[in-house]
Amino acid sequence: MQTDKLQAIWETALAAHQDGDLTTAQTGYEHLLALEGKHLPALVNLATILRVQGRSEDAAKCYRHALSFTDDSPELWFNYGNLLQAQGRESEAIKAFRQALIIRPELFQARLSLANTLRQSGQLEAALAEYQYAIELRSDEVTPLTNAGNVLRRLGRLDEAIRFHRRALKCDPDNIDVRINLGNALRDANRLKEAELAYRYAIELSPQSSSAVIALYRLLTHMGREADAWSLLSESLELTTDPQLLALAAGWAYQYKRPDQAVVYYQRALADVPDNSKWLQNLAVVLTEQGKVDKAIEKWRRLLQVDPHNATAHFRLGTLY
């Protein structure tokens, strides 16, 4: 009889979860766990809901409780590792992913997550080894190939990096991120014309890709082709109002003595990202240099709301009062 009751509670909670009614689902899972604290699916699903609610530590408690009586599930260790990684607890996440892989070495997503976390924590050689293992598991998967290329680039092994990115492109020729990654490696190898082609191909695939436009813009300015860089930027701003591109345009206008234009671009960028301290400071500097004291003071004060310890803002305000 008790088993039937538990099953009914589980089915009701699961149905609510699948319908997107998380409140009812959570209530059902908690009720079920009050009756049977070792109900693994309920613990896992409750942890998922708690993560959505931003209650990551409560979700972690669910995983730890589940692992206290079921420590041989690679999926459970993998999910716990993902949560730890999202919390910034990289060393613990790495241990959880490794535990998942001890149980099931061929678990591709755990292998990839381990590699990503190792890379983020600066353990580049270890990350590269895991990416290579992931590639052995799925040789046609783009992500480990291009991520391995990025690691090799950071290690200074540029020829190898380029080869890995080209392998990734064979799997997915229209992948914009891989095109940009290839361009970055070619740029670092001083193969600038090839890098330009890689970035332009990415832009051709997605004209509104701000990442590709920014990469090409910086390459062109590095090559001394300022007119081409500005032409690229102005054409891109006809297609998108990405704030990163607007801020680049503001910097260009300021550099070439067009302060009014710089102000307009910074204001448009800040309309989308009002708390960007760098852009606020740059705008305040332009307004100060123009002698627009009241507007400059307003922006310096706004900067201090975002960054209360900004020494430049404190100094500038002291000179303007």
Side-chain angles (χ1 to χ4, degrees):
M1 188 69 178
Q2 180 72 1
T3 301
D4 292 343
K5 179 181 179 181
L6 295 176
Q7 183 63 23
I9 296 172
W10 162 249
E11 290 176 357
T12 300
L14 182 61
H17 198 166
Q18 292 171 337
D19 289 341
D21 184 355
L22 300 187
T23 301
T24 299
Q26 180 178 348
T27 300
Y29 294 141
E30 290 174 342
H31 183 197
L32 177 56
L33 289 166
L35 299 172
E36 174 48 74
K38 293 185 177 182
H39 195 288
L40 182 60
L43 277 167
V44 172
N45 287 5
L46 178 59
T48 302
I49 292 174
L50 293 170
R51 282 196 68 180
V52 171
Q53 295 173 345
R55 297 168 58 186
S56 60
E57 190 49 45
D58 288 333
K61 289 178 182 178
C62 288
Y63 285 125
R64 284 194 291 270
H65 178 48
L67 289 165
S68 71
F69 62 85
T70 307
D71 64 355
D72 60 349
S73 167
E75 290 82 8
L76 190 56
W77 282 108
F78 170 61
N79 289 337
Y80 183 43
N82 284 334
L83 175 60
L84 292 167
Q85 197 276 338
Q87 290 180 310
R89 296 157 65 177
E90 292 177 343
S91 61
E92 294 174 79
I94 288 168
K95 290 178 182 177
F97 292 137
R98 289 197 188 281
Q99 189 60 41
L101 291 166
I102 288 172
I103 300 167
R104 189 182 300 167
E106 72 279 7
L107 187 58
F108 174 79
Q109 289 300 333
R111 187 71 63 182
L112 188 58
S113 294
L114 172 59
N116 290 339
T117 309
L118 288 166
R119 173 173 53 86
Q120 291 161 6
S121 65
Q123 301 178 59
L124 300 184
E125 294 287 359
L128 180 59
E130 295 301 335
Y131 283 130
Q132 288 172 328
Y133 201 130
I135 292 166
E136 290 178 13
L137 293 172
R138 296 189 188 177
S139 60
D140 59 347
E141 190 76 27
V142 169
T143 300
L145 284 165
T146 198
N147 284 2
N150 288 337
V151 169
L152 287 162
R153 174 183 164 227
R154 289 176 62 182
L155 290 169
R157 295 159 59 179
L158 298 177
D159 289 342
E160 293 175 80
I162 291 166
R163 285 199 295 271
F164 270 85
H165 291 314
R166 292 200 188 280
R167 283 180 62 187
L169 286 174
K170 288 182 179 179
C171 301
D172 185 2
D174 293 339
N175 190 301
I176 296 167
D177 291 334
V178 179
R179 291 279 172 189
I180 296 171
N181 291 340
L182 173 61
N184 293 340
L186 290 165
R187 180 198 61 205
D188 288 0
N190 205 36
R191 295 161 61 174
L192 303 186
K193 286 292 185 182
E194 292 175 82
E196 180 179 349
L197 290 174
Y199 293 143
R200 288 196 183 279
Y201 198 112
I203 294 170
E204 183 180 328
L205 290 170
S206 178
Q208 296 187 24
S209 171
S210 58
S211 297
V213 171
I214 290 169
L216 180 55
Y217 172 86
R218 289 175 175 162
L219 176 67
L220 292 171
T221 55
H222 172 74
M223 297 169 70
R225 294 164 56 187
E226 286 82 2
D228 289 341
W230 175 246
S231 177
L232 167 73
L233 202 53
S234 57
E235 289 174 7
S236 298
L237 286 171
E238 293 177 3
L239 302 175
T240 177
T241 57
D242 185 280
Q244 295 285 343
L245 296 182
L246 288 166
L248 267 185
W252 185 93
Y254 178 73
Q255 179 181 351
Y256 288 96
K257 311 301 182 185
R258 301 180 184 180
D260 290 336
Q261 196 174 6
V263 168
V264 171
Y265 282 130
Y266 276 129
Q267 287 175 332
R268 289 175 62 190
L270 287 163
D272 285 338
V273 190
D275 293 341
N276 188 295
S277 59
K278 180 180 178 181
W279 301 344
L280 278 168
Q281 180 165 319
N282 290 347
L283 175 56
V285 166
V286 177
L287 292 168
T288 301
E289 292 177 354
Q290 287 183 302
K292 298 179 179 179
V293 177
D294 290 342
K295 291 182 178 180
I297 289 173
E298 177 190 344
K299 296 307 176 186
W300 288 120
R301 285 176 173 171
R302 173 69 185 125
L303 176 57
L304 286 175
Q305 291 177 342
V306 176
D307 181 6
H309 303 294
N310 189 291
T312 302
H314 284 290
F315 173 78
R316 290 282 194 160
L317 280 173
T319 65
L320 289 171
Y321 284 131

